[in-house]
Amino acid sequence: MDDTLYEEAVKVRENAYSPYSNFKVGAVLLSKSGIIFTGCNVENSSYGLTSCAERNAIFSAVTAGEQEFSKLVVVGDTEDVTVPCGACLQVMAEFFDAETEILLANTAGLKKTYKFSELLPVSFNLGDDRNV
C-alpha cells in the first residue's frame, strides 16, 4: 500500500502551482474508511496565502465528510525527505492521533516513516483526546 500511496503523491505533486519557489509538493491522505485524498501546494504572490499540499489533502477530505485518518504521505524534490511545516502539523493535530502514520519521502525514493507524535510531540489544543 505504501508504494501505491507514494506513487500517487509523486503524481499529484506535478499539479502543484509553485511559480515563486519552484518547490512542488504532493500529499496523499488515507482515511480510516479507506478513501484516498490528494493535495498539492498552491502558491500565491502573497506568500502567507500559500496553501501546502498536506493541508489541501486534509481540507479536501474534511470537505468530503472524512475526519479520521490512518496515513499521510508527503513527497517533495529534496535531498532528504520533505517535512511538513508547523502550520500543517498544527492542522494535523486537529485530525490525527499520536499513532497516525506519516510517510515522508523525496522524489528519488528515499522514505522515512514516523508516528505523528514524533513530528509534533506537543501541540496547541483545547483538550480534545485526539490531539497529542
Side-chain angles (χ1 to χ4, degrees):
M1 180 63 125
D2 281 355
D3 287 339
T4 301
L5 297 174
Y6 169 79
E7 291 301 326
E8 188 65 27
V10 169
K11 181 180 171 183
V12 74
R13 180 185 161 275
E14 291 305 315
N15 296 336
Y17 178 75
S18 57
Y20 306 103
S21 71
N22 294 312
F23 181 61
K24 296 181 175 191
V25 179
V28 172
L29 182 63
L30 179 64
S31 72
K32 288 188 177 178
S33 65
I35 301 172
I36 294 172
F37 297 90
T38 62
C40 61
N41 55 314
V42 179
E43 292 181 350
N44 188 281
S45 60
S46 173
Y47 273 125
L49 299 178
T50 294
S51 186
C52 298
E54 302 92 309
R55 283 182 279 153
N56 284 334
I58 292 168
F59 297 159
S60 177
V62 172
T63 299
E66 296 287 332
Q67 294 186 13
E68 295 182 354
F69 307 104
S70 57
K71 183 177 287 197
L72 174 71
V73 178
V74 181
V75 177
D77 186 15
T78 50
E79 187 173 323
D80 199 353
V81 297
T82 299
V83 179
C85 73
C88 287
L89 290 170
Q90 184 59 48
V91 169
M92 290 175 204
E94 281 295 311
F95 300 102
F96 293 8
D97 59 40
E99 300 297 312
T100 301
E101 189 176 317
I102 314 283
L103 175 66
L104 304 179
N106 69 13
T107 55
L110 177 64
K111 301 172 187 170
K112 296 179 182 178
T113 303
Y114 300 88
K115 293 178 183 175
F116 176 63
S117 61
E118 293 175 294
L119 296 179
L120 187 65
V122 179
S123 67
F124 174 82
N125 67 66
L126 298 176
D128 186 335
D129 289 338
R130 291 181 304 175
N131 293 329
V132 179

